[in-house]
Amino acid sequence: MPDQSLPEQVDVPPLPRGTGLRARLLVGALLIAAPPLLVSVLAPIPGAGARGLVLFAGALLVSGGMAVVFATGIAQPLQELINDAHALAVGVAGHRSQIRSSDEIGSLATALNQMAETVERRNAALADSERRYRFLFDSNPLPMWAWDADTMLILAVNEAAIDQYGYDRDTFLSLRILDLIDPTEHSRFRGARLPFSESRQTAGTWLHRTTDGRQLEMEVITTSSRRLGRASWLSVGIDVTARREAERALARSEAQLRQSQKMEAIGTFAGGISHDFGNLLTGMLGYCDLALGMMAVDDPARRDVNEIRALAVRGTDLSRQILAVSRKQIAQPTVLDPNTVIQGVDRLLARIMGENIDVLTTLGTDLGSIRIDAAQLEQVMLSLASNARDAMPSGGTLHVATLRVDDTDVESFGLDAQREWIVIRVSDTGVGMTEDILPHIFEPFFTTKERGKGTGLGLPLAYGMIDQAGGEIRVNSTPGQGTTFHLLLPRLDERPDSFAIEDEDPELLAGQETVLLTEDEDSVRMVATAALERRGYRVLAAADGESAIAISRAYPGRIDLLVTDVVMPGMNGRQLAEQLERARPGIHVLFVSGYTDDAVLLKGVSLDERTFLQKPFTSLALARRVRAVLDQSPRAS
């Protein structure tokens, strides 16, 4: 790449003025003219006759010969000087003129030799500069390329660029700069392109494409240059693909952290109020059940009590939704057949969707089983169905299918390949969702529905419930074509659990066992005591753990079951259960709470051994759980 900049100005010393050539020309002219002049003087032509003509002719011949001799003496060094100049022009290295004289021709020869030496020195300096520049260009580990400012043709490229983009050198030098840039960036490049000017530098990040179609994110620094003898740009590229991907991964992690912190804040808030809120709702539900049990079927006040109870049930659902979203709800997973769950909610789904939406169900065979809280799975299904209905205002189809996940889908969903999976697929033909909405659908309180028509808790609730069960949710959606939710759950080979009590006949829920009930909330303790006593149980009620220990020590008979709140002042429910299990081997334990921290509840108590009843609960739910626990095999001491 020769340097086309102007040479620096140098002082040129004057050459000595030669006088020999001028004197030689003067003497030669005199000598050439002398013979004819001398003959014409000595023998004038008119009177000389034939002899005079001969003399005059001889004089002319002598003059001509002398002219030839003198001309040859002058032309020969001039020709040599021309040859020397030509040798210098064609770049013959080390050539010098051999003319040595003091006349003008000698001065020209000396000047020509000085010019040759100057050219050689400058060429050597230019070659050294070119070698250094080429070394820096070719050995640079960063991709570099030079391109014409007008045609955008690539003029030069280094080895790093060849390795980076995968083109061979000849192909690379036939490309235009736009051939390196991803087509999606062409319009932006044309808009950002600046006119050429000296000492201009620009920088930016561009999406480039290699010869095999791979995309690269390149930070490109471009500087104007005339090194190639024309207006051109010299660009240096830095591949930042990995760095940008790491930055995006970090941003995703930070977003997940913020989401986790948000969920934790919601959970802290929910946990702080849920215990008291659950106690209030449990008292309301219990007193409503007691009142309804004492009323005649045609009692005019029965309708009002039922309305109060319905409001309390709505409050119960809201409390559980908040706990589920914050992942503070205590799930009660059981081994289920997914087809049985879908069949159980199928009729309810049809009622939710309405007459203008068809509900199709496709149940797979040989699915196996899953472990999840049945009520939570039903809630997830109803939440997805509700969203699908809102996405199909003009009607459509809701398709629910169950099937085993094959190896291809395991890989595409990014699941653990060491496990087997079952998917419950919920698809609709609604309006679908755009790509900018999809990343936010599981965020608490995010909703696209009109104000007052959506809480933004349905999908976060579903996500939390499936996550608690060890599963994952994937979503595919296309605007105008619909949305598909994939509920992915680990597959088990275990047999589904069966429940001993499925009938609500009061006689089946009654008993004569002794129950030690420990609850710090007066209203809950009173209604629970009344509900169990009405079913024949002997109830020993205590307001805290210390009181329960005292009652156990003072009571001489057998205590079959401990029903205890988990979170109480002083001794908590787990500590109380441990002491009573040592004092009364074989006693059954039923934990009750509206909210509890996993660290408190699960420390020292295995998941299989724990029996739990979530507050708020109804009198019927309490009776069911008490009967189910008592009918289990006695606990090992």
Side-chain angles (χ1 to χ4, degrees):
M1 294 183 183
D3 192 347
Q4 299 295 321
S5 57
L6 294 175
E8 61 180 348
Q9 298 294 325
V10 297
D11 294 331
V12 180
L15 293 173
R17 297 181 63 183
T19 57
L21 180 61
R22 185 180 303 171
R24 287 170 59 191
L25 289 174
L26 181 59
V27 171
L30 291 175
L31 290 176
I32 292 170
L37 290 175
L38 184 60
V39 171
S40 64
V41 171
L42 296 176
I45 295 177
R51 181 175 174 273
L53 292 174
V54 171
L55 290 174
F56 188 76
L60 290 176
L61 290 173
V62 171
S63 296
M66 294 177 67
V68 170
V69 172
F70 278 104
T72 301
I74 295 173
Q76 184 175 354
L78 285 176
Q79 183 61 48
E80 292 178 5
L81 192 62
I82 292 174
N83 293 338
D84 293 336
H86 179 70
L88 179 62
V90 298
V92 177
H95 182 83
R96 297 292 184 274
S97 175
Q98 301 301 316
I99 298 175
R100 300 291 183 270
S101 64
S102 59
D103 56 15
E104 286 82 351
I105 294 178
S107 298
L108 286 174
T110 301
L112 190 65
N113 288 340
Q114 291 176 348
M115 184 172 64
E117 292 173 358
T118 300
V119 170
E120 288 182 359
R121 283 198 305 272
R122 294 198 173 185
N123 283 343
L126 182 62
D128 182 64
S129 175
E130 169 69 14
R131 281 192 298 272
R132 286 187 281 111
Y133 176 81
R134 175 58 67 180
F135 173 77
L136 294 175
F137 184 81
D138 285 337
S139 63
N140 195 319
L142 297 176
M144 298 181 68
W145 57 91
W147 49 286
D148 191 283
D150 297 322
T151 65
M152 294 193 289
L153 285 171
I154 295 177
L155 305 175
V157 62
N158 69 352
E159 289 297 328
I162 292 174
D163 295 339
Q164 182 82 65
Y165 290 91
Y167 297 100
D168 59 69
R169 185 176 296 275
D170 291 339
T171 303
F172 216 129
L173 295 179
S174 66
L175 302 177
R176 300 170 71 235
I177 191 65
L178 286 175
D179 295 326
L180 298 183
I181 301 174
D182 191 84
T184 60
E185 297 271 55
H186 285 182
S187 59
R188 184 168 77 93
F189 177 80
R190 293 188 180 97
R193 188 181 173 199
L194 299 174
F196 181 87
S197 65
E198 301 291 344
S199 302
R200 168 167 283 176
Q201 187 176 82
T202 61
T205 302
W206 300 90
L207 194 62
H208 283 200
R209 188 175 291 274
T210 63
T211 184
D212 59 1
R214 183 167 48 92
Q215 287 185 335
L216 303 174
E217 287 187 76
M218 299 290 293
E219 281 188 0
V220 181
I221 302 172
T222 300
T223 306
S224 58
S225 172
R226 289 190 179 274
R227 274 192 170 272
L228 300 181
R230 68 184 81 179
S232 59
W233 298 98
L234 178 63
S235 298
V236 180
I238 304 173
D239 185 0
V240 296
T241 306
R243 189 182 78 193
R244 289 299 176 89
E245 181 58 36
E247 290 173 353
R248 285 190 287 269
L250 178 61
R252 288 193 296 269
S253 298
E254 290 175 347
Q256 291 171 356
L257 176 60
R258 288 192 295 270
Q259 174 73 3
S260 176
Q261 291 171 338
K262 185 188 300 183
M263 297 291 285
E264 186 65 27
I266 295 173
T268 301
F269 167 75
I273 67 170
S274 61
H275 183 267
D276 292 339
F277 190 43
N279 286 336
L280 294 174
L281 290 172
T282 300
M284 293 173 61
L285 290 169
Y287 281 119
C288 287
D289 289 340
L290 293 176
L292 290 171
M294 294 184 294
M295 288 181 177
V297 177
D298 57 351
D299 192 315
R302 188 177 186 89
R303 180 177 179 181
D304 295 334
V305 175
N306 275 325
E307 287 297 326
I308 295 172
R309 189 180 188 281
L311 292 174
V313 170
R314 289 179 60 187
T316 299
D317 292 339
L318 177 60
S319 176
R320 287 178 176 170
Q321 282 188 3
I322 295 175
L323 289 173
V325 171
S326 62
R327 303 185 187 184
K328 296 296 183 180
Q329 185 184 26
I330 302 301
Q332 297 173 269
T334 55
V335 179
L336 304 171
D337 181 350
N339 287 344
T340 302
V341 177
I342 300 304
Q343 288 170 339
V345 299
D346 186 52
R347 188 173 300 175
L348 182 58
L349 290 179
R351 288 201 299 267
I352 290 177
M353 302 310 290
E355 296 181 355
N356 62 336
I357 297 176
D358 296 326
V359 178
L360 303 179
T361 302
T362 304
L363 302 179
T365 58
D366 191 27
L367 289 182
S369 56
I370 56 177
R371 184 185 298 276
I372 191 172
D373 187 307
Q376 288 189 350
L377 181 57
E378 291 175 355
Q379 192 170 351
V380 170
M381 296 299 299
L382 296 178
S383 177
L384 295 180
S386 176
N387 287 341
R389 178 197 61 202
D390 295 339
M392 297 183 287
S394 301
T397 301
L398 177 72
H399 186 197
V400 180
T402 60
L403 63 155
R404 293 177 63 170
V405 181
D406 58 28
D407 294 340
T408 302
D409 286 339
V410 166
E411 183 177 356
S412 63
F413 286 137
L415 302 174
D416 183 0
Q418 303 300 317
R419 310 180 69 175
E420 294 183 346
W421 296 82
I422 292 174
V423 60
I424 301 175
R425 186 175 297 159
V426 182
S427 305
D428 66 62
T429 57
V431 296
M433 292 179 284
T434 58
E435 291 185 0
D436 59 320
I437 291 178
L438 280 175
H440 305 288
I441 61 175
F442 296 117
E443 295 179 4
F445 310 115
F446 176 84
T447 179
T448 58
K449 299 177 182 178
E450 298 178 11
R451 185 177 180 87
K453 292 190 176 181
T455 63
L457 291 177
L459 289 179
L461 172 66
Y463 184 89
M465 291 176 173
I466 296 300
D467 183 69
Q468 275 188 315
E472 300 187 30
I473 297 183
R474 297 289 186 272
V475 186
N476 303 117
S477 187
T478 303
Q481 298 184 20
T483 301
T484 300
F485 283 87
H486 306 268
L487 309 181
L488 300 152
L489 295 161
R491 179 184 179 275
L492 305 175
D493 288 324
E494 303 177 27
R495 295 184 59 184
D497 292 338
S498 59
F499 298 95
I501 299 177
E502 297 179 356
D503 198 338
E504 297 183 6
D505 188 341
E507 295 183 1
L508 294 177
L509 300 180
Q512 297 180 350
E513 292 88 346
T514 300
V515 177
L516 175 56
L517 174 64
T518 309
E519 170 61 54
D520 60 319
E521 181 67 30
D522 293 340
S523 61
V524 176
R525 188 172 64 253
M526 292 173 62
V527 297
T529 299
L532 293 176
E533 286 180 342
R534 287 188 179 187
R535 288 177 168 80
Y537 295 102
R538 178 188 298 273
V539 180
L540 308 175
D544 53 46
E546 288 77 6
S547 300
I549 293 294
I551 291 174
S552 174
R553 289 172 178 170
Y555 185 71
R558 173 185 174 86
I559 298 178
D560 300 282
L561 173 66
L562 169 66
V563 179
T564 177
D565 194 1
V566 176
V567 180
M568 296 183 296
M571 182 184 299
N572 64 44
R574 181 187 58 80
Q575 295 168 337
L576 171 62
E578 289 175 350
Q579 290 197 30
L580 288 181
E581 285 172 345
R582 289 194 296 267
R584 293 179 176 271
I587 189 173
H588 294 277
V589 179
L590 173 61
F591 291 109
V592 180
S593 184
Y595 162 77
T596 186
D597 192 351
D598 290 348
V600 175
L601 178 64
L602 299 181
K603 184 177 180 181
V605 181
S606 70
L607 188 64
D608 293 335
E609 294 171 344
R610 174 176 51 81
T611 302
F612 182 80
L613 178 61
Q614 179 80 43
K615 286 184 181 178
F617 54 82
T618 64
S619 298
L620 180 60
L622 174 63
R624 279 181 170 178
R625 189 56 52 87
V626 166
R627 187 70 263 160
V629 174
L630 287 171
D631 289 342
Q632 292 177 358
S633 300
R635 294 171 58 89
S637 57

